[in-house]
Amino acid sequence: MLELKGLEKTYLKHTVNEHRALRGIDLQIADGEFITVIGSNGAGKSTLFNAVAGTFFCERGRIVLDGRDITYVREHRRARQISRIFQDPMKGSAPGLTIAENIALAYARGENHLFSFALSRRKLELFRDCLAQLNMDLENRMNTRMGLLSGGQRQAVTLLMATIHTPRLLLLDEHTAALDPLTAERVLEMTRSIVAERNITTLMITHNINAALSTGSRTLMMEQGQIILDLEGGTRDAMSVPDLLAVYREKCGKALDNDRMLLDNEQNMDVHGSE
Amino acid sequence: MAFFLDSVQLGLEYALMAVGVFITFRILNIPDLTVDGSFTLGIVISSVFAVGGHPFAGLLLALLGGALAGTVTGLLHTRAHIHPILAGILTTYGLYTVNIKILGGPNLSLLNSKKFFDVITAAFPSMSRSAAQAIAIIVVCAAVVVILNLFFKTVAGLCIQATGNNEEMVRASSINTAAVKVGTFALANALVALSGGLLAQYQGFGDVSSGSGMVVIGLASVIIGEVLFGHRSILIGLISAVCGCVIYRIIIALALHYNLFSANALKLLSAVIVAATLSVPPLKGWIAGRLARRGA
Ligand SMILES: Nc1ncnc2c1ncn2[C@@H]1O[C@H](COP(=O)(O)OP(=O)(O)OP(=O)(O)O)[C@@H](O)[C@H]1O
Ligand SMILES: [Mg+2]
């Protein structure tokens, strides 16, 4: 349903700082696939997401969503079908507005009733039910300003907002990286269950190699603006974290390096032991 | 007392201008300098139509003219990517020519023409002229505040608030933030121009230079209102802009009455008030930092 053909993006073209962030990305994603994306710092993961979401237009290549060429469709138009969540919990919501108002805004996505009341009784009840499913007791704090919530709570609400209308494509850019491990696991679990329940086609960037292999059905590894590994099915199931790191070292001639990299303690020891 | 009531009345004539400034400056979070130009545009349109015998049409067209001026600034900002301050300055500068052209000269007297307030006074012959005038302007301001408060509870109104708060998130909600900004500039300047239109018909003359420095008066009003009422909600914000504007007029009137300073010093004083009040939050932070360091 999503097809990327030869995407290329160069930052600061024609300057000394010219940087080829995407160097020909080809990717076919089927309906309902949950794909995790890993790679070192600066590999181009976020750039790829920005290209798909339409933050900028690529200088070469095509993006086709559900058979429609959206290469030059503007960002806010694409947002009707594509939801995204960022690493920074502050980015996904308006801190000065209340929880209910933030959800109302997400709910208005693609809606044409610009002059209907944003917080009608019917909508408030719906939002309350959705919030109750997060199990964070937020349904009783709907008039609290978003800025007063903790990072984990904000990210959970952002997840709710991103999926309140089921999107065709969900892009998660390290959305748990800024949270403490326990909260991160909780938000990740929420993500898994929402995605599975509604069969949402999802791409998730993560620095947690373990989560990358255990979440979803397919894993991509990026390096220097290219996809260097595409794992699924049996090969993926057989792959352990050290295996994956070894593959990376073999392909790139250096250790996978990411400042936010998280490995299980035991496996971490393992990696360092073998070096 | 009469002098007090006069300044309240005058403050209310300017109040919708302050409300317009509140919408761009505080809700959309972008200072808009179109105000000087669109206020004058409201004055000249309203004056010309009042002289032509159509005071109501004059107010309505002033409203539309202001919306158009705001749209121009909005498009310059969002489409041509000009800094909003510069966009406002450009629109105002261009409007100077337009305004003189519309008015047919630097000023125009409405002494012998039918004005909005004359129509109101004629409709309520039992009331004194000044009472009828006061009630008319109070009703206009109250109606605008009520309508705006309802508007800011709709999806469109929420979009404006969110755009001023976290634009990126609004775009991610599939809302065209450029359109939101243009619309907000149009709405704010429509109110500003309506205020200018009301003022011209109240004072009985139109002058192309009455708009200069209007944006500072608007900011001062908004800030005075905030100092008194805090910023708790949209409704309170709208009301405090109106009240701030009235209080600003009272302060000015008192100062002039007691000869505290010359009329010429007013502009400097307004600028100082605005600059001083805007620098309170950073100053508070600085003092808090100093105290913390000393305590540590
Ligand atoms: N706006 C920009 N202007 C110039 N260069 C940029 C810009 N954004 C990203 N880059 C560069 O493009 C490359 C890819 O960046 P990107 O953010 O996609 O990496 P990433 O894979 O998401 O890394 P990380 O794991 O650190 O988030 C980096 O070298 C980065 O410096
Ligand atoms: Mg990134």
Side-chain angles (χ1 to χ4, degrees), chain A residues 11-12 19 21 39-48 174 258 260:
Chain A
Y11 283 119
L12 307 173
H19 182 85
S40 58
N41 289 129
K45 306 180 294 295
S46 301
T47 305
L48 176 64
E174 304 199 49
N258 189 313
R260 294 182 291 281

Side-chain angles (χ1 to χ4, degrees), chain A residues 2 56 59-61 63 69 89-90 96 111 130 139 154 158 160-162 206 232 240 242 251 261 273-274:
Chain A
L2 178 71
F56 51 71
E59 54 262 16
R60 205 162 291 153
I63 305 171
D69 189 324
M90 301 301 154
E111 200 185 25
C130 294
E139 63 274 20
R154 277 187 82 160
T158 310
L160 191 160
M161 287 162 57
T206 177
E232 56 188 326
S240 69
K251 288 212 179 229
M261 186 90 76
S274 66

Side-chain angles (χ1 to χ4, degrees), chain A residues 90-216:
Chain A
M90 301 301 154
K91 253 187 168 179
S93 50
L97 303 189
T98 65
I99 298 180
E101 286 169 338
N102 269 282
I103 301 178
L105 213 72
Y107 187 73
R109 174 188 295 245
E111 200 185 25
N112 290 321
H113 307 290
L114 269 181
F115 295 101
S116 68
F117 283 111
L119 298 174
S120 64
R121 189 167 299 168
R122 177 185 65 82
K123 290 183 195 170
L124 277 175
E125 263 164 37
L126 177 81
F127 300 163
R128 176 182 297 273
D129 290 346
C130 294
L131 278 167
Q133 286 169 17
L134 297 181
N135 272 324
M136 287 183 150
D137 196 37
L138 292 175
E139 63 274 20
N140 300 316
R141 301 176 59 191
M142 293 217 295
N143 292 322
T144 305
R145 283 196 187 184
M146 203 73 182
L148 297 176
L149 300 187
S150 72
Q153 289 170 326
R154 277 187 82 160
Q155 214 60 333
V157 175
T158 310
L159 183 65
L160 191 160
M161 287 162 57
T163 55
I164 193 152
H165 291 299
T166 306
R168 284 298 286 139
L169 183 67
L170 179 61
L171 302 176
L172 308 170
D173 190 344
E174 304 199 49
H175 70 308
T176 61
L179 310 178
D180 66 83
L182 220 69
T183 317
E185 185 47 47
R186 210 165 149 203
V187 172
L188 189 58
E189 196 42 56
M190 249 175 233
T191 311
R192 287 192 190 108
S193 93
I194 291 177
V195 167
E197 191 181 305
R198 295 206 251 143
N199 199 29
I200 303 173
T201 311
T202 305
L203 279 164
M204 178 175 88
I205 298 176
T206 177
H207 52 253
N208 185 333
I209 311 283
N210 209 20
L213 287 174
S214 62
T215 309

Side-chain angles (χ1 to χ4, degrees), chain A residues 201-264:
Chain A
T201 311
T202 305
L203 279 164
M204 178 175 88
I205 298 176
T206 177
H207 52 253
N208 185 333
I209 311 283
N210 209 20
L213 287 174
S214 62
T215 309
S217 53
R218 184 175 167 191
T219 298
L220 302 177
M221 184 188 274
M222 281 190 74
E223 179 64 24
Q224 301 217 340
Q226 289 177 313
I227 296 173
I228 56 166
L229 191 67
D230 186 347
L231 286 172
E232 56 188 326
T235 358
R236 181 172 184 264
D237 296 339
M239 189 77 73
S240 69
V241 174
D243 289 345
L244 196 62
L245 293 175
V247 170
Y248 181 89
R249 211 172 313 135
E250 185 188 312
K251 288 212 179 229
C252 305
K254 58 171 186 172
L256 181 56
D257 151 47
N258 189 313
D259 57 358
R260 294 182 291 281
M261 186 90 76
L262 271 187
L263 305 163
D264 281 354

Side-chain angles (χ1 to χ4, degrees), chain A residues 76 91 93-96 114 116 118, chain B residues 153-156 165-166 169 172 174:
Chain A
H76 72 269
K91 253 187 168 179
S93 50
L114 269 181
S116 68
Chain B
K153 289 187 194 303
T154 64
V155 171
N165 209 233
N166 183 351
M169 168 250 183
S174 87

